[in-house]
Short mmCIF file of all heavy atoms in Angstrom, two decimals:
data_model
loop_
_atom_site.label_atom_id
_atom_site.label_comp_id
_atom_site.label_asym_id
_atom_site.label_seq_id
_atom_site.Cartn_x
_atom_site.Cartn_y
_atom_site.Cartn_z
N LEU A 106 -71.46 6.43 -7.51
CA LEU A 106 -70.46 6.73 -6.50
C LEU A 106 -71.06 6.77 -5.10
O LEU A 106 -70.90 7.78 -4.35
CB LEU A 106 -69.79 8.11 -6.82
CG LEU A 106 -69.12 8.19 -8.20
CD1 LEU A 106 -68.66 9.63 -8.44
CD2 LEU A 106 -67.95 7.23 -8.27
N PRO A 107 -71.72 5.75 -4.62
CA PRO A 107 -72.36 5.82 -3.29
C PRO A 107 -71.36 5.89 -2.15
O PRO A 107 -71.66 6.60 -1.15
CB PRO A 107 -73.17 4.50 -3.21
CG PRO A 107 -72.45 3.56 -4.17
CD PRO A 107 -71.97 4.44 -5.30
N ARG A 108 -70.21 5.25 -2.25
CA ARG A 108 -69.26 5.31 -1.13
C ARG A 108 -68.67 6.71 -1.05
O ARG A 108 -68.44 7.21 0.07
CB ARG A 108 -68.13 4.26 -1.36
CG ARG A 108 -68.61 2.81 -1.25
CD ARG A 108 -67.46 1.89 -1.63
NE ARG A 108 -67.88 0.49 -1.66
CZ ARG A 108 -67.58 -0.41 -0.73
NH1 ARG A 108 -66.92 0.00 0.37
NH2 ARG A 108 -67.98 -1.66 -0.85
N GLN A 109 -68.32 7.32 -2.17
CA GLN A 109 -67.75 8.64 -2.11
C GLN A 109 -68.83 9.67 -1.66
O GLN A 109 -68.51 10.62 -0.94
CB GLN A 109 -67.18 9.05 -3.48
CG GLN A 109 -65.88 8.23 -3.77
CD GLN A 109 -65.32 8.59 -5.14
OE1 GLN A 109 -65.20 9.74 -5.46
NE2 GLN A 109 -64.92 7.58 -5.91
N ALA A 110 -70.05 9.45 -2.11
CA ALA A 110 -71.14 10.35 -1.64
C ALA A 110 -71.26 10.34 -0.11
O ALA A 110 -71.51 11.33 0.52
CB ALA A 110 -72.43 9.95 -2.30
N ALA A 111 -71.03 9.14 0.49
CA ALA A 111 -71.22 8.97 1.93
C ALA A 111 -70.13 9.66 2.74
O ALA A 111 -70.31 9.91 3.93
CB ALA A 111 -71.33 7.50 2.26
N ILE A 112 -68.95 9.95 2.12
CA ILE A 112 -67.85 10.58 2.83
C ILE A 112 -67.47 11.92 2.19
O ILE A 112 -66.35 12.36 2.32
CB ILE A 112 -66.63 9.65 2.89
CG1 ILE A 112 -66.09 9.36 1.49
CG2 ILE A 112 -66.91 8.37 3.62
CD1 ILE A 112 -64.64 8.90 1.48
N ALA A 113 -68.43 12.56 1.51
CA ALA A 113 -68.15 13.78 0.78
C ALA A 113 -67.69 14.92 1.71
O ALA A 113 -67.12 15.91 1.24
CB ALA A 113 -69.36 14.20 -0.02
N ASP A 114 -67.94 14.77 3.02
CA ASP A 114 -67.45 15.78 3.99
C ASP A 114 -65.93 15.73 4.17
O ASP A 114 -65.36 16.64 4.73
CB ASP A 114 -68.15 15.61 5.34
CG ASP A 114 -67.92 14.21 5.93
OD1 ASP A 114 -67.91 13.24 5.15
OD2 ASP A 114 -67.71 14.12 7.14
N LYS A 115 -65.29 14.71 3.59
CA LYS A 115 -63.84 14.50 3.74
C LYS A 115 -63.08 14.93 2.53
O LYS A 115 -61.84 14.75 2.45
CB LYS A 115 -63.56 13.08 4.09
CG LYS A 115 -64.01 12.64 5.48
CD LYS A 115 -63.62 11.25 5.82
CE LYS A 115 -63.81 10.92 7.27
NZ LYS A 115 -65.20 11.04 7.72
N PHE A 116 -63.73 15.50 1.51
CA PHE A 116 -63.01 16.00 0.30
C PHE A 116 -63.77 17.17 -0.28
O PHE A 116 -64.88 17.48 0.12
CB PHE A 116 -62.77 14.86 -0.72
CG PHE A 116 -64.04 14.15 -1.16
CD1 PHE A 116 -64.80 14.75 -2.16
CD2 PHE A 116 -64.39 12.95 -0.67
CE1 PHE A 116 -65.94 14.10 -2.63
CE2 PHE A 116 -65.53 12.32 -1.11
CZ PHE A 116 -66.28 12.88 -2.11
N THR A 117 -63.15 17.78 -1.27
CA THR A 117 -63.74 18.87 -2.01
C THR A 117 -63.71 18.55 -3.47
O THR A 117 -62.69 18.01 -3.98
CB THR A 117 -62.99 20.23 -1.73
OG1 THR A 117 -63.26 20.63 -0.37
CG2 THR A 117 -63.42 21.30 -2.67
N VAL A 118 -64.78 18.87 -4.19
CA VAL A 118 -64.85 18.64 -5.59
C VAL A 118 -64.71 19.96 -6.33
O VAL A 118 -65.43 20.90 -6.03
CB VAL A 118 -66.16 17.96 -6.04
CG1 VAL A 118 -66.27 17.85 -7.56
CG2 VAL A 118 -66.25 16.55 -5.38
N LEU A 119 -63.75 20.03 -7.25
CA LEU A 119 -63.62 21.18 -8.14
C LEU A 119 -64.33 20.84 -9.46
O LEU A 119 -63.91 19.95 -10.19
CB LEU A 119 -62.15 21.46 -8.37
CG LEU A 119 -61.78 22.59 -9.37
CD1 LEU A 119 -62.40 23.92 -8.91
CD2 LEU A 119 -60.28 22.72 -9.50
N ARG A 120 -65.45 21.54 -9.73
CA ARG A 120 -66.24 21.22 -10.86
C ARG A 120 -65.95 22.10 -12.09
O ARG A 120 -66.61 21.98 -13.11
CB ARG A 120 -67.75 21.39 -10.54
CG ARG A 120 -68.28 20.23 -9.65
CD ARG A 120 -69.73 20.44 -9.27
NE ARG A 120 -70.35 19.20 -8.78
CZ ARG A 120 -71.53 19.17 -8.21
NH1 ARG A 120 -72.24 20.30 -8.07
NH2 ARG A 120 -72.06 18.00 -7.83
N SER A 121 -65.02 23.04 -11.95
CA SER A 121 -64.85 24.04 -13.02
C SER A 121 -63.43 24.08 -13.54
O SER A 121 -62.93 25.10 -13.92
CB SER A 121 -65.20 25.43 -12.44
OG SER A 121 -64.50 25.68 -11.22
N MET A 122 -62.81 22.88 -13.67
CA MET A 122 -61.56 22.77 -14.33
C MET A 122 -61.71 22.89 -15.84
O MET A 122 -62.76 22.48 -16.40
CB MET A 122 -60.87 21.46 -14.01
CG MET A 122 -60.06 21.37 -12.74
SD MET A 122 -58.68 22.47 -12.71
CE MET A 122 -57.74 22.04 -14.18
N TYR A 123 -60.73 23.43 -16.50
CA TYR A 123 -60.73 23.43 -17.98
C TYR A 123 -59.29 23.49 -18.43
O TYR A 123 -58.39 23.85 -17.66
CB TYR A 123 -61.47 24.65 -18.52
CG TYR A 123 -60.71 25.95 -18.33
CD1 TYR A 123 -59.90 26.46 -19.36
CD2 TYR A 123 -60.78 26.66 -17.17
CE1 TYR A 123 -59.15 27.62 -19.19
CE2 TYR A 123 -60.05 27.85 -17.00
CZ TYR A 123 -59.26 28.31 -18.01
OH TYR A 123 -58.52 29.49 -17.84
#
Side-chain angles (χ1 to χ4, degrees):
L106 303 173
R108 293 173 184 259
Q109 292 179 44
I112 63 160
D114 58 322
K115 291 182 168 60
F116 57 81
T117 290
V118 174
L119 176 58
R120 285 177 164 170
S121 52
M122 274 298 304
Y123 74 94

